[in-house]
Amino acid sequence: METTGGPGGRRFDLVIVGAGFAGLYMLYRARQQGLDAVVIERGSEVGGTWYWNRYPGARCDIESVDYCYSFSPELVQEWDWTERYAAQPEILAYLQHVADRFDLRDDIVFERTLVRADWGEAERSWTLRLDDGSHLSCTHVVMATGNLSAVKPPSFDGLDDFAGEWFHTGMWPHHAVDWTDKTVAVIGTGSSGIQVITQVAPLARHLTVLQRTPNYSMPAHNRPLLAGELAEVRATFGERRRVCQLSDAGTPLPPPTRSAHEVTEDERRARYEEGWQRGGISALSGGYTDFFTEEQSNLWAQEFARDKIREIVTDPDVADRLSPRHHIGTKRTATDTGYFEMYNRANVDLVDVRDDPISHIEASGIRLESGRLVEVDVIVFAIGFDAMTGALADIDIRGTDGLTLETAWADGPRTYLGLQTAGFPNLFMITGPQSPGVLSNMVISIEQHVDFVADCLAYLREHDLDRIEASEEAQDGWVVHTRELAEGTLYLQARSWYLGANIPGKPRVFMPYVGGCGRYRTECETVVDNSYRGFVLGTPTDAEDHSDG
C-alpha cells in the first residue's frame, strides 16, 4: 500500500502492528493462509529495531547465521552474511530483501501509528484508530511491536537550553553525524552506549563517558565470514536450527553439563578463558549449569571478567570504576569490539555519575552536582528503553467491558505464555512479557511465536471459531510459574530493565521467562496438543472453555 494511502474504513481478517522481524514473518504466514491482512508501521521502511537503531556501532550480539529466518530454505541459501556479527546496515538490508523477495510491501502501510484499539463484543472485532484519524477493523490483532522499541526519553533539566546537538541511540537520525573536532559526551554504558563509544572515541576530539553502572562486556571477536564457513552452515542449517530451538538461549552452543563446584580453579579459569577467546554474549555464562542460580558459581565468573578488565585498562583507578559488581548476566551483558581499550586513549575520560550525579544540562554542557561542568558539543543519550511493555503501553488498548491494558497490567504484566492477556480476545503479542524474548536469540523466539499464532488462526477457522482469549485461571498459573522460575535464579538481585527498574514508577516485576527456549517451546506444544488448553475458544455467545485442557 502506498504511504500516502491507507486502509481506513476497511475490515481485515488480521492487522499486524510493526514491520520488523516479527511483523514481516507474520504477514508472510497470513498470506500463506489466504488471510486479508495488513501491517501498520510507524516508520517509513521495514526493519523494526534495525530501522530505528542506526547509531554508530549498532550490531547484533547473536551470530549472523543464527540471527535470521529459517522459514525459507531458498532465503538461507541465497543471503550472504559478510560478518560474524552483522551490523545494522546489513541487517536492515536483509529485512528489506525479505520484504521485496516475498512481495510483502503491498500490504504494509508506512508512516502510520496505532493510537487506540477497542474490542467490540457484539461485532466480534477490533476497531483500530491511527494517528491520522482513520479507522479500520479486524477480527484479530497481532502486536509485533518489539521488546526494545519504546525509547526512554531523556528527562534532564535544562536539555532545551543545550546549544549543541544531542541524539538518542534509539531514535538516531538518518544522516551521518560528523564527530570531527567535536567534544562528545555519552550518557549510559549499556549495550548501545558501549557500541557507540567504540566508534566515536577514535573520531572525536574528546569523549567523556558518563557512567552510572559499569557493565559486563564480552569481546565479539568480530571478523569477516569466509565462503567456506557459510557453505558449512548452509549444509547443516536445519540441524543447527533445531539445536537453537531446543536450547536455552536460542544459540547452537552445547549446554553445560557440570556445576562450577565440580571442577578445580584451574579448570574453571581455563573454561572461562576458552569462552573469552570464543567471544560473544555467552562467553562466560555458558560454562556451568549453576551460573545463574548459585552465588559462588557466578562470583567466580565475575572475578574472571574483572581480571580481564584490569588486564586491558592501564589506569588501575579507571579499571576499578569500569568493573561491575552485580551478578554477571543478571543485567544484559554486552558484546564489544574493543570497548575497554577505548579507556587507554588520551582523549577519553570516565565520569562516575553514581558518585557525582548529573545536576542539569546547560548551554555549554552537563553540570554535575559537585559543580563540575563537562563542556561538550554533542550529547549521546544511550539510556535505553521502556522494555517489553513500553510499546504496548503507548497504545490505548481496551478489551472486554472497556478494560484497559494499563489497568490489567497496573501491578505488572499478566499474560498466558506471553501471547495473550485475559480480557483481550483475539489480541496476540509476539514475544510478549513472560516469554523468553529478550533472554534469547530474538529471531528464534519470534519465529516460534508467529508459527504458534498462525497455526492457531488456522485451527480457529477449521473449527468455525472466531474468538480466542486466555483464561484468567491459565494466566494466573503462568504468572506464578514464571515468577517462581525467576525466584530460583540470581536475576532478581539486580536492578535491571528486565524488572523495569530503569523506568520511574514502573512496577518492579521480572518480565522474561527464564526457563529457556526449549522448555518454553515444549510448554507451548503441550498447550496445542491439548486443543489450546488454557484458552477460551468460540464466539461471544457460544464459548468453548479449554482452560483445563
Side-chain angles (χ1 to χ4, degrees):
M1 295 182 180
E2 296 295 329
T3 301
T4 55
R10 286 185 56 187
R11 169 75 181 258
F12 294 89
D13 296 323
L14 174 64
V15 171
I16 303 157
V17 185
F21 268 100
L24 292 179
Y25 183 42
M26 189 71 245
L27 178 58
Y28 175 84
R29 288 297 313 268
R31 287 263 196 89
Q32 282 187 316
Q33 296 182 16
L35 297 177
D36 187 11
V38 66
V39 176
I40 305 299
E41 168 54 51
R42 64 187 172 101
S44 62
E45 178 55 285
V46 302
T49 291
W50 301 105
Y51 170 86
W52 298 102
N53 290 263
R54 52 181 69 221
Y55 56 86
R59 187 180 298 277
C60 188
D61 58 8
I62 299 292
E63 294 195 46
S64 307
V65 295
D66 299 310
Y67 193 78
C68 58
Y69 292 120
S70 65
F71 68 84
S72 166
E74 295 79 14
L75 180 62
V76 171
Q77 295 299 319
E78 72 192 20
W79 185 265
D80 292 329
W81 293 106
T82 65
E83 294 184 276
R84 186 183 181 200
Y85 293 97
Q88 178 270 337
E90 185 169 13
I91 300 173
L92 180 59
Y94 172 75
L95 291 170
Q96 291 169 333
H97 172 75
V98 169
D100 294 333
R101 191 193 190 289
F102 298 101
D103 195 24
L104 300 177
R105 292 181 185 276
D106 287 348
D107 292 319
I108 303 173
V109 179
F110 294 105
E111 297 182 322
R112 295 289 188 276
T113 300
L114 176 62
V115 295
R116 179 162 171 166
D118 292 270
W119 169 253
E121 191 74 23
E123 301 84 3
R124 298 189 296 277
S125 68
W126 285 93
T127 299
L128 310 181
R129 180 164 64 85
L130 307 184
D131 58 342
D132 64 351
S134 63
H135 293 74
L136 61 153
S137 62
C138 59
T139 307
H140 299 277
V141 178
V142 171
M143 305 302 294
T145 48
N147 291 162
L148 298 172
S149 55
V151 302
K152 177 187 177 183
S155 57
F156 298 99
D157 291 340
L159 181 57
D160 290 342
D161 299 326
F162 183 55
E165 295 180 290
W166 68 266
F167 306 100
H168 191 298
T169 52
M171 301 183 297
W172 204 261
H174 288 215
H175 61 79
V177 176
D178 183 8
W179 307 100
T180 307
D181 203 34
K182 300 284 181 65
T183 55
V184 182
V186 174
I187 300 177
T189 53
S191 182
S192 61
I194 285 171
Q195 290 177 333
V196 165
I197 287 162
T198 60
Q199 299 301 302
V200 173
L203 301 175
R205 176 158 56 88
H206 193 275
L207 171 64
T208 301
V209 177
L210 292 96
Q211 169 192 272
R212 186 182 64 178
T213 305
N215 196 17
Y216 294 103
S217 188
M218 305 293 111
H221 298 309
N222 191 42
R223 56 174 174 75
L225 283 176
L226 303 176
E229 292 177 290
L230 284 172
E232 182 179 351
V233 167
R234 286 167 175 159
T236 59
F237 187 81
E239 177 185 348
R240 182 184 179 106
R241 195 62 164 205
R242 189 60 179 165
V243 171
C244 292
Q245 291 169 343
L246 297 178
S247 70
D248 281 348
T251 63
L253 294 177
T257 57
R258 293 189 296 177
S259 160
H261 290 269
E262 295 179 45
V263 299
T264 66
E265 180 180 355
D266 287 345
E267 288 175 302
R268 281 194 303 271
R269 300 282 298 187
R271 185 67 182 269
Y272 297 145
E273 184 64 35
E274 178 186 338
W276 189 268
Q277 295 306 321
R278 181 183 69 245
I281 196 169
S282 301
L284 302 184
S285 61
Y288 296 102
T289 56
D290 48 5
F291 179 90
F292 285 106
T293 59
E294 206 276 324
E295 187 87 27
Q296 183 60 61
S297 176
N298 194 278
L299 179 59
W300 282 321
Q302 293 175 44
E303 291 171 343
F304 179 88
R306 289 190 284 266
D307 286 346
K308 284 295 185 182
I309 295 170
R310 286 188 284 267
E311 286 178 17
I312 296 169
V313 180
T314 56
D315 185 322
D317 176 62
V318 174
D320 185 63
R321 286 185 284 143
L322 287 169
S323 296
R325 303 298 170 184
H326 59 272
H327 296 95
I328 188 169
T330 56
K331 294 186 176 186
R332 181 74 174 184
T333 301
T335 57
D336 69 81
T337 53
Y339 170 62
F340 294 112
E341 289 85 345
M342 293 300 107
Y343 294 93
N344 294 331
R345 297 179 60 91
N347 70 326
V348 176
D349 285 335
L350 177 66
V351 173
D352 190 337
V353 296
R354 189 176 296 279
D355 291 339
D356 192 3
I358 295 171
S359 169
H360 62 275
I361 295 172
E362 51 192 70
S364 59
I366 302 166
R367 182 72 68 177
L368 306 180
E369 288 192 357
S370 66
R372 175 185 172 185
L373 176 64
V374 180
E375 294 188 79
V376 291
D377 303 309
V378 182
I379 302 174
V380 176
F381 293 100
I383 54 178
F385 302 87
D386 184 352
M388 302 195 72
T389 59
L392 296 169
D394 285 344
I395 304 167
D396 184 4
I397 302 175
R398 297 169 182 257
T400 55
D401 300 321
L403 173 68
T404 66
L405 189 65
E406 180 183 16
T407 299
W409 287 5
D411 297 322
R414 299 182 63 80
T415 76
Y416 181 43
L417 302 173
L419 281 159
Q420 277 202 325
T421 289
F424 298 85
N426 293 3
L427 179 76
F428 294 94
M429 297 166 284
I430 304 299
T431 63
Q434 292 152 356
S435 73
V438 294
L439 294 183
S440 70
N441 173 352
M442 287 298 302
V443 183
I444 294 290
S445 291
I446 284 169
E447 282 196 325
Q448 188 259 329
H449 261 197
V450 169
D451 287 340
F452 183 101
V453 173
D455 292 347
C456 176
L457 296 180
Y459 179 92
L460 294 176
R461 290 196 309 282
E462 290 166 6
H463 293 81
D464 296 321
L465 302 167
D466 65 355
R467 191 177 191 275
I468 180 168
E469 178 184 354
S471 74
E472 290 276 4
E473 181 183 5
Q475 177 174 280
D476 290 347
W478 187 253
V479 169
V480 170
H481 173 59
T482 55
R483 185 182 67 239
E484 289 177 344
L485 285 177
E487 288 172 347
T489 72
L490 300 170
Y491 277 108
L492 301 188
Q493 298 187 33
R495 293 186 72 258
S496 69
W497 55 257
Y498 298 143
L499 280 156
N502 63 322
I503 303 297
K506 188 170 182 175
R508 299 297 185 257
V509 175
F510 190 79
M511 292 179 283
Y513 174 87
V514 302
C517 292
R519 179 174 177 178
Y520 176 82
R521 183 177 292 267
T522 299
E523 296 267 12
C524 289
E525 289 172 350
T526 301
V527 166
V528 173
D529 290 344
N530 286 274
S531 302
Y532 292 91
R533 181 176 66 195
F535 292 97
V536 179
L537 311 181
T539 70
T541 56
D542 182 24
E544 182 180 351
D545 190 342
H546 289 223
S547 57
D548 298 321

